[in-house]
């Protein structure tokens, strides 16, 4: 297939499984994003050279820009962008005490995805 995918939240769950599928079954080059280098390095060991680990907190504008610079400076034009990073905290309803948590959810689950789409 020879396509390039950028996947956030690639170190576990759905992001990891998508990375594995795209690398192994479809021979895609996957630029896998996560905050923990050691997890990404272990996935690189497992999946081989088609998996390119990139430490990135997608809620950070600086990290998103570093990712964009890394991708474009290497002459890569991603074919696929999978904004997978997200959280689902436990709360039944909004209360003022939970406003910081809700802000964090919106930043990760919404704003970072919009910013990634805008960059790419």
């Amino acid at each position: 297939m020879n396509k390039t995918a950028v996947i956030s939240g690639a170190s576990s769950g759905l992001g990891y499984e998508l990375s594995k599928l795209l690398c192994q079954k479809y021979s895609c080059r996957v630029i896998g994003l996560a905050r923990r280098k050691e997890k990404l390095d272990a996935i690189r060991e497992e999946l081989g050279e088609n998996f390119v680990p990139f430490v990135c907190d997608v809620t950070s504008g600086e990290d998103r820009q570093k990712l964009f610079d890394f991708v474009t400076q290497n002459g890569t034009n991603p074919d696929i962008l999978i904004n997978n990073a997200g959280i689902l905290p436990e709360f039944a309803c909004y209360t003022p005490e939970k406003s910081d948590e809700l802000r964090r959810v919106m930043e990760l689950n919404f704003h970072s995805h919009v910013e990634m789409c805008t960059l790419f």
Side-chain angles (χ1 to χ4, degrees):
M1 183 180 241
N2 296 330
K3 301 285 184 185
T4 298
V6 174
I7 302 177
S8 66
S11 65
S12 64
L14 185 58
Y16 165 73
E17 293 298 332
L18 285 168
S19 296
K20 192 163 93 171
L21 179 71
L22 290 173
C23 284
Q24 293 177 340
K25 185 172 182 179
Y26 296 102
S27 300
C28 289
R29 178 175 181 237
V30 173
I31 301 171
L33 313 179
R35 293 176 295 153
R36 294 183 188 93
K37 182 182 184 326
E38 56 280 350
K39 282 188 163 189
L40 289 171
D41 289 343
I43 295 167
R44 167 65 182 229
E45 287 285 320
E46 177 188 349
L47 300 181
E49 65 184 38
N50 279 351
F51 184 81
V52 178
F54 193 90
V55 176
C56 180
D57 178 352
V58 294
T59 65
S60 164
E62 183 178 326
D63 280 8
R64 289 189 303 261
Q65 187 61 52
K66 285 179 185 177
L67 167 68
F68 181 77
D69 293 345
F70 170 78
V71 170
T72 57
Q73 288 172 0
N74 288 309
T76 301
N77 185 17
D79 301 289
I80 305 164
L81 173 62
I82 300 175
N83 288 309
N84 172 67
I87 53 175
L88 181 61
E90 292 184 29
F91 60 83
C93 64
Y94 174 80
T95 63
E97 297 82 34
K98 302 229 181 217
S99 64
D100 287 343
E101 186 175 6
L102 182 59
R103 229 182 248 47
R104 190 170 65 94
V105 168
M106 291 302 296
E107 181 59 37
L108 181 56
N109 294 358
F110 178 74
H111 295 289
S112 69
H113 298 286
V114 171
E115 294 296 327
M116 289 283 281
C117 288
T118 301
L119 271 176
F120 285 100

